[in-house]
Amino acid sequence: MNASLAGVGAQPQAPQVSPAELVVAEMKGMADCFARMTSSCYAKCIAGVHEDKLSVGEMSCVDRCVSKYIDVHARVGTELQSVMAASPQAAATE
């Protein structure tokens, strides 16, 4: 077989990512989520700073807002992992 044709039709290999790079990427993702969550929940739940402590309504709003952000972040991460896990399997069956 001709060596120049050996790679024709082959699927490109995904770049290998080290565990340290995965940890850094996850940390960046969580930092981004935290920054967005902070600015969004603050703008939504805290109308103005009038006291040194949050009111009960503000605390409740912030709690719900943060919970939603964390829940969505976890769901997106889980879905992304399942898509990434299925991707090599789909390429192998083609």
Side-chain angles (χ1 to χ4, degrees):
M1 177 178 204
N2 189 343
S4 64
L5 296 177
V8 174
Q11 295 293 325
Q13 293 287 330
Q16 296 296 322
V17 180
S18 72
E21 290 172 322
L22 290 174
V23 169
V24 169
E26 187 168 346
M27 287 174 55
K28 286 181 180 180
M30 285 302 293
D32 180 58
C33 176
F34 183 78
R36 290 174 187 252
M37 176 182 63
T38 301
S39 63
S40 177
C41 292
Y42 185 87
K44 178 181 177 184
C45 297
I46 303 172
V49 180
H50 302 291
E51 301 174 15
D52 59 343
K53 294 184 181 179
L54 295 176
S55 70
V56 173
E58 290 170 334
M59 285 189 286
S60 177
C61 180
V62 169
D63 186 47
R64 285 191 311 269
C65 185
V66 168
S67 178
K68 287 178 185 178
Y69 255 88
I70 298 298
D71 185 43
V72 168
H73 187 75
R75 287 183 187 198
V76 168
T78 301
E79 186 66 27
L80 183 60
Q81 285 178 347
S82 66
V83 167
M84 295 301 285
S87 180
Q89 293 171 354
T93 59
E94 292 179 352

